[in-house]
Amino acid sequence: MSGIRIDVLTLFPEAFTGPLDVSIIKRARDDGLLDLHLHDIREHAADRHRSVDDYPFGGGQGMVMRVDVLHRALVHVQAQAQPVGHVIYLSPQGEVLTDALVRQLARYPRLVLVSGRYEGVDERFIEHCVDREVSIGDFILTGGEIPAMVLIDAVTRHVPGALGDALSPTEESFAGGLLEHPHYTRPAEYNGWNVPDVLLSGHHAQILKWQREQRLARTRRKRPDLLGHWPSPLDLPEVE
Ligand code: 9WO
């Protein structure tokens, strides 16, 4: 099975243990489908205070991560394996992560994720060392660690074999550009709350038709922005 290697450069490698040590991601790591390596940027600090940040040229509040420390850390990590990784800096200035971008990233054999802290990293690191900037949404956090974990989780689901026998990612929500239909399980009645009759009918074609209508109706109601390119319901092929 073809796995992916992901290296993370961070000041807080310990933040990644826990979230990436459970469930499907844990199994993908155990199965060798995700080869995750965490690296502490501070190990590449050179002075006796082990500084990784400094005051911004031109003034302003806060601190900036040093280009020399980041570059040494990156060279060290890229030398650990072949091929070199595609370098991603997690930042609110990046391209917003979508299902399409996740699928694209999952095709790389190796990614290097850089999680920033403070007010950001020296621009020269982005210019000379980073292949792409990725954002997980239009908000500011205290650092890029959680966005890196989000990206790792989303990408790992698309590594062939990582979902086992479960739903293939090509069948899931978003693959068709629509939200998922609602899901129900036993009991069929609880507290007076009922499962839609059609799902209990055993009529497979009607069930598929209902699920497709639900996906379209829910997308129109909850996320009309996703319907930009969706054909009108009149264009949908009929299920007998
Ligand atoms: C902090 C700050 C403080 C005062 C004025 C402006 C400021 N900008 C920032 C800032 O952008 N800090 C970032 C914190 C620096 C890079 C790491 N940090 C980060 C990454 N916050 N949010 C992200 C992030 C990454 C990907 N997707 C969404 C958010």
Side-chain angles (χ1 to χ4, degrees), residues 61 89-92 116-120 134-137 139-144 147:
Q61 60 164 12
Y89 175 53
L90 286 309
S91 109
R117 281 271 155 176
Y118 314 114
E119 270 56 74
V134 172
S135 166
I136 63 160
F139 40 79
I140 308 292
L141 303 169
T142 55

Side-chain angles (χ1 to χ4, degrees), residues 178-181 211-219:
L178 295 178
L179 302 182
E180 290 200 322
H181 55 75
Q211 290 177 337
R212 198 188 52 192
E213 289 164 355
Q214 288 291 313
R215 290 200 299 273
L216 193 57
R218 280 158 62 109
T219 308

